[in-house]
Amino acid sequence: MKLKSLFLSAGILLAGILASCSSDDPEVIVYEAGMTSFGFYVEDNKGLIVQDYEVSPVTQTNITVLLPEEVDKSKLVARFTVTDNDVVKVGDVVQQSGVTANDFTVPVDYFVSEGTTNVKYTVTIGKAPAYVWTALPPVTGDSAVSLVMKVSPDGTPYIAYKMERETSADEALGVLALKDGTWSSLGKVSEGRVGSYMDMAFNAAGMPTVSYVDYTNKISQQASVKVLNGSTWSFVGGATATTNKVSYHTINYLNDNKLMLLATYDAKDNVLARRELSVNTFENGTWTNNTTIPGRASDLVAYLQVSETLGDVLYLGVYNAVSPNSISVYKYANNNWTTLLDKWSDEKATAISLRDFDIAVNQQGDVYVAFSDNSNDGAEKSRVIKVDAETKQVTPVGNPITAATGSSLKFDLALSPLGVPYLFYRNETNFPTVVSLDKDTQDWTTPLVLEANEANDLHLGFAPDGKAYLVFTKSRKIFSYKYDAPGQ
C-alpha cells in the first residue's frame, strides 16, 4: 500500500506552520493490488506440460495462455507474482503460487486483494497452434543400408547407420547428429563390416552408446559396444560385448554404471540354445554374459527384441518366433525380472507378422506394443495394444490400421512426453505416414502422408520438450522431418 498526504493550499499550509510546529493532517491509505506475472511451469506440473508458459508482465486483467490440445487442463498449478501484501483467491480458496491446482477447462477468475482494493483477473486457456511436420535438409554426404534413430535426453537426434559401400567389407557403422538443423557426421565407429541391426542408448552425460554386430571381431558377428567420448569412439568393456555370434539385439542403460545388451544368441556352441535370448550386463567395468530371463523357455526363439527404460527400470519386448508365434513383455527392476505379458497373441489371430515389432512405455509404466496380425477378419493390419503396469491386462489402442503388409511392413512406435501414442508407418503404397491417438475419440487421427515416395527404415522419437523427429530412407538416402510449432 502507499501513503499519500493531503495537501492544503499554500497559504493555509503556511499559516498552519506559523501557528504550530506539529501537523495533524490525516493520511489516506491507497491500496495497490495487482498481478505482475502469471504462468504454468514444468516444475509445478510434472507430467502435465513439457515446457514453461509465462505471461510477463501482466498488462491487462484478461490473461490468455495457449497450451497444446493434449494438455490435461483440469488440474494445472499456476505460478504468479503480485504486488506487496496482496491476497489471491479463486472463489473462497486462497491461492498459493506454484502450489494450488485449479480446473482450467473453463476460465478461472483470480481475485487479487489488498485492503479495500480488489482486482479480478480472468485466466483463459487457449489452444496453441498445432505442431506440423517440416522436412529437414537431407543427408548428402552418405547413404545407408539400414539405420536407427534415437533422441538424446537433451533433445538432440542421432542416427546410427550401416554405410552403403561397393563392397560389403567396407560397410561400416557411422553416426550422425542433428546440429543447428543440419546432420553432421560423428565419424566411423567400426573398423569394417557390421550387421544390419544396431541400437543406441545414452549415458548420464547424454553421450550416445551404440551396439552393433561386427564381422571383423575374432568371432565373426560378435557384438561390440562403443560410447562417444568427446570426439572419440571407445569400446565399452573391450572389443567384444558377447561371447559368440548374435543377431537381433537391443541396448539400454539402467543407470550410468549398468548397461544391458539383450541379444539373440546365434551360435551352436551349447552355451545357450541357438537363438535363445541372451542377457549381457556391463557393470563394474566388466561384461557378464549369457544369463537368461527366469521362466523364459530356452527354445522360445527371440526375434526383433526392443527395450525402453523408465528411470532405473528396463522394459523388454520380444517377438517369439516359434509356432504359434507370440509376444512377450518383461520388466527388469532391482535386479529382478517380472513377466508382464507371456507368449501373448490375439485369440482371433492365426499369425503375427515377423517383419516389425516395437514397444513404448508411459510414465506410469504401462507398455504399448505395436505389431501386425490377422485378427481383423483374417486381414493383416497394424495394431497397438496397451499392457497395464498393475493389472497386466491387455487393451486395444485405437482401431487396427490399414498399412503395408508382408515383406513391406515397416513402422515405429513412440509416445510423446505427455503420453500420446504416435505410429510412423508405411501405408499400402509404402509412403511414409503418421497417425496419433485422438484423446476425444480414442482412435487414430486421419493418416498424414508426408510425401508420395516409397520409404524404408522408419524411425520416430520425441525430445523432452515435445518436439519430435522422424527419419527414413529413400533409395538408401537419408531423409528426416521435425515436428514443431509452425514456423519453428
Side-chain angles (χ1 to χ4, degrees), residues 35-103:
M35 185 173 286
T36 54
S37 71
F38 185 93
F40 301 106
Y41 294 82
V42 174
E43 184 179 0
D44 308 324
N45 295 277
K46 295 186 185 301
L48 295 178
I49 56 176
V50 293
Q51 64 185 55
D52 297 337
Y53 300 88
E54 182 185 32
V55 177
S56 180
V58 173
T59 59
Q60 54 187 3
T61 55
N62 289 316
I63 301 171
T64 300
V65 182
L66 302 181
L67 299 182
E69 185 178 9
E70 60 265 28
V71 170
D72 181 358
K73 305 169 186 64
S74 65
K75 50 184 177 182
L76 290 173
V77 173
R79 190 188 301 183
F80 51 82
T81 57
V82 294
T83 54
D84 292 344
N85 303 315
D86 291 349
V87 175
V88 182
K89 289 185 177 182
V90 171
D92 294 327
V93 179
V94 175
Q95 303 293 294
Q96 187 174 350
S97 176
V99 175
T100 312
N102 288 289
D103 182 358

Side-chain angles (χ1 to χ4, degrees), residues 428-445:
E428 292 175 289
T429 51
N430 293 334
F431 295 164
T433 306
V434 182
V435 293
S436 60
L437 192 71
D438 185 279
K439 69 172 185 176
D440 295 322
T441 66
Q442 286 300 293
D443 201 1
W444 301 105
T445 56

Side-chain angles (χ1 to χ4, degrees), residues 148-170:
V148 63
M149 187 273 293
K150 297 287 180 72
V151 182
S152 73
D154 71 359
T156 303
Y158 291 82
I159 297 173
Y161 68 105
K162 180 178 180 178
M163 301 172 173
E164 183 186 37
R165 296 294 183 266
E166 290 186 3
T167 61
S168 60
D170 295 326

Side-chain angles (χ1 to χ4, degrees), residues 444-484:
W444 301 105
T445 56
T446 301
L448 172 65
V449 179
L450 295 173
E451 53 184 72
N453 292 294
E454 184 171 328
N456 203 354
D457 296 297
L458 280 60
H459 290 276
L460 168 66
F462 278 87
D465 63 1
K467 298 179 179 64
Y469 301 86
L470 58 79
V471 171
F472 57 91
T473 58
K474 294 186 295 186
S475 301
R476 297 196 168 180
K477 296 296 183 182
I478 302 172
F479 296 85
S480 57
Y481 280 71
K482 179 183 180 182
Y483 189 53
D484 201 350

Side-chain angles (χ1 to χ4, degrees), residues 94-343:
V94 175
Q95 303 293 294
Q96 187 174 350
S97 176
V99 175
T100 312
N102 288 289
D103 182 358
F104 287 90
T105 56
V106 295
V108 175
D109 291 331
Y110 281 78
F111 291 90
V112 182
S113 305
E114 185 188 5
T116 58
T117 300
N118 300 281
V119 182
K120 182 179 77 172
Y121 291 85
T122 300
V123 178
T124 302
I125 303 299
K127 181 181 176 182
Y131 277 18
V132 295
W133 290 102
T134 305
L136 294 168
V139 176
T140 57
D142 212 342
S143 53
V145 176
S146 60
L147 58 80
V148 63
M149 187 273 293
K150 297 287 180 72
V151 182
S152 73
D154 71 359
T156 303
Y158 291 82
I159 297 173
Y161 68 105
K162 180 178 180 178
M163 301 172 173
E164 183 186 37
R165 296 294 183 266
E166 290 186 3
T167 61
S168 60
D170 295 326
E171 291 181 336
L173 184 73
V175 175
L176 305 168
L178 187 67
K179 303 290 187 181
D180 299 322
T182 301
W183 290 102
S184 302
S185 174
L186 297 180
K188 188 172 74 170
V189 178
S190 68
E191 295 302 316
R193 181 187 177 189
V194 298
S196 293
Y197 295 94
M198 67 284 296
D199 203 12
M200 188 185 320
F202 300 93
N203 62 18
M207 290 294 98
T209 300
V210 291
S211 60
Y212 56 97
V213 171
D214 195 334
Y215 281 76
T216 68
N217 276 331
K218 184 176 181 180
I219 300 176
S220 180
Q221 300 177 62
Q222 280 179 285
S224 295
V225 177
K226 281 189 173 181
V227 62
L228 183 64
N229 292 313
S231 59
T232 303
W233 289 97
S234 304
F235 283 112
V236 175
T240 58
T242 59
T243 61
N244 212 320
K245 174 183 176 182
V246 297
S247 55
Y248 306 102
H249 62 275
T250 180
I251 194 168
N252 246 310
Y253 284 93
L254 275 83
N255 52 59
D256 212 29
N257 299 310
K258 191 166 188 174
L259 180 65
M260 297 187 74
L261 173 67
L262 299 309
T264 298
Y265 195 81
D266 210 16
K268 299 179 181 179
D269 58 5
N270 297 317
V271 172
L272 292 178
R274 191 177 182 201
R275 296 174 182 165
E276 184 175 0
L277 182 66
S278 169
V279 180
N280 306 275
T281 306
F282 181 76
E283 193 171 19
N284 299 321
T286 61
W287 284 101
T288 300
N289 299 108
N290 303 324
T291 61
T292 57
I293 295 177
R296 182 178 172 87
S298 61
D299 61 353
L300 199 57
V301 174
Y303 206 83
L304 298 174
Q305 57 265 35
V306 285
S307 65
E308 294 281 342
T309 54
L310 183 64
D312 289 344
V313 179
L314 181 139
Y315 296 84
L316 174 68
V318 187
Y319 177 98
N320 303 312
V322 293
S323 183
N325 43 27
S326 61
I327 293 167
S328 294
V329 177
Y330 304 96
K331 174 182 176 181
Y332 182 81
N334 300 318
N335 298 317
N336 291 305
W337 287 99
T338 303
T339 301
L340 301 181
L341 197 64
D342 186 28
K343 299 187 291 293

